[in-house]
Amino acid sequence: MFSDNIRAALFMLVAMAGFVVNDTFVKLTSEDLSPPQIMAVRGVAASLLLFVLAWRMGALRPVGLALRPRLMLRTGADFMATLSYLTGLSQMPIANASAIFQALPLTVTLGAAVFLREPVGWRRWAAIGVGFVGVIIIVRPGTEGFTVYSLAVLAAVVFSAIRDLATRRMDRAIPSLFIALMAAIAVSLLGWTLIPFTGGWRPVSAENALWLSCAAVSIIVGYIFIVQSMRIGDMGFVAPFRYSVLLYALVIGIVVFGDWPPTPVLLGSAIVVGSGLYTLYRERVRGVAAPLKSQVH
């Protein structure tokens, strides 16, 4: 009934909802648990679910494959991105964190131009510059709204860009589910390693255990649907729908946490989204590589 592009757009909307729901449950548990403990517990649940999925879909591979340099770089960048993002998210409104994170497509474009020598014309360089102006408006350095947690989310953007650029250079024969499984295991192990240095283990209530289980399911739903979206749709058409995450985050921030983003956050978000959409438009016009397939945080 629906075209591949329409189906892919719907899948992208579901994926973004999954990611924001994950962020919501994580933020709820962050009132009682440290980011490393959240990473550890959620990672166990996510790893088990991903293992079952990979096994059922024939995507399991020898563990030694995880020691390939590019996969190790990707995995390392992924768990640093997760730690940075959860640290920021635990101490700032969900809409603010999501808004800053939308600088990722622009950062990946910049990284691809600098490190992978991909062609970027002056118009897209200008769009990248304008987009980062939007990020500065959101972060507001030197004002009351600026905190170290804003820098943590910015660090997550940088690490996520490294992860995605490493993914672009990986062997396409390695299944995406296997890559995600290795990342989930690494993130969980890092969390368990850091717990003793961040206040130790804190009791996990039944409520928090339920929320972290829901977070694990939500993030896997996001991952599965974003992969499906990227496989069946034209990325030039589908990619703009990833900005729906801002709308989801805004609504959940107001309804669940009672956080209404200040005007600078809304203005900066509009600038970031506008510049990102223009970058996608220029890539489609020029017929160059589609935007990188960003994965879960």
Side-chain angles (χ1 to χ4, degrees):
M1 179 180 292
F2 296 115
S3 68
D4 284 347
N5 274 346
I6 295 299
R7 288 169 57 218
L10 293 174
F11 288 159
M12 182 65 78
L13 291 174
V14 173
M16 294 302 103
F19 291 143
V20 174
V21 170
N22 162 73
D23 288 350
T24 302
F25 284 117
V26 165
K27 187 167 179 61
L28 288 170
T29 59
S30 68
E31 297 178 4
D32 303 315
L33 307 176
S34 66
Q37 189 168 342
I38 292 172
M39 291 167 58
V41 178
R42 186 191 67 174
V44 169
S47 297
L48 290 173
L49 289 171
L50 282 168
F51 177 82
V52 172
L53 286 172
W55 173 63
R56 293 293 300 271
M57 297 180 71
L60 292 177
R61 295 293 184 272
V63 177
L65 191 63
L67 299 179
R68 289 191 177 182
R70 285 174 182 165
L71 184 49
M72 290 182 66
L73 173 62
R74 187 206 175 278
T75 301
D78 196 34
F79 66 60
M80 289 303 298
T82 302
L83 178 61
S84 301
Y85 186 77
L86 293 186
T87 299
L89 178 65
S90 66
Q91 300 295 327
M92 63 191 302
I94 190 171
N96 294 40
S98 295
I100 295 173
F101 203 80
Q102 293 317 297
L104 178 58
L106 298 170
T107 307
V108 169
T109 301
L110 175 62
V114 173
F115 298 107
L116 303 184
R117 306 301 182 189
E118 294 188 3
V120 175
W122 70 267
R123 292 182 181 86
R124 289 197 294 158
W125 278 119
I128 291 171
V130 171
F132 285 116
V133 169
V135 173
I136 291 173
I137 292 174
I138 297 171
V139 175
R140 289 174 289 164
T143 69
E144 240 179 63
F146 174 77
T147 69
V148 68
Y149 300 107
S150 301
L151 293 179
V153 179
L154 283 175
V157 170
V158 173
F159 285 122
S160 295
I162 295 172
R163 174 200 67 196
D164 290 350
L165 291 171
T167 302
R168 177 167 288 186
R169 291 298 188 182
M170 287 179 58
D171 184 352
R172 293 182 179 273
I174 302 176
S176 297
L177 275 174
F178 177 78
I179 294 172
L181 174 60
M182 292 299 100
I185 292 173
V187 167
S188 183
L189 290 175
L190 176 68
W192 288 107
T193 302
L194 293 178
I195 285 175
F197 305 100
T198 54
W201 177 266
R202 302 175 189 175
V204 180
S205 66
E207 185 178 50
N208 282 336
L210 175 62
W211 283 342
L212 287 176
S213 298
C214 291
V217 172
S218 300
I219 202 167
I220 291 176
V221 167
Y223 174 75
I224 291 173
F225 276 92
I226 201 170
V227 169
Q228 285 296 103
S229 175
M230 291 183 294
R231 283 182 171 171
I232 68 173
D234 173 8
M235 286 308 297
F237 176 84
V238 175
F241 287 89
R242 71 176 296 110
Y243 289 113
S244 61
V245 72
L246 284 172
L247 178 60
Y248 295 142
L250 176 63
V251 172
I252 288 180
I254 294 172
V255 174
V256 178
F257 301 104
D259 295 327
W260 181 266
T263 301
V265 172
L266 297 176
L267 174 61
S269 299
I271 292 174
V272 171
V273 171
S275 59
L277 292 177
Y278 181 76
T279 298
L280 294 170
Y281 165 75
R282 288 303 305 173
E283 289 184 352
R284 193 169 187 180
V285 168
R286 290 170 56 88
V288 300
L292 193 64
K293 302 172 182 180
S294 299
Q295 297 188 357
V296 299
H297 51 267

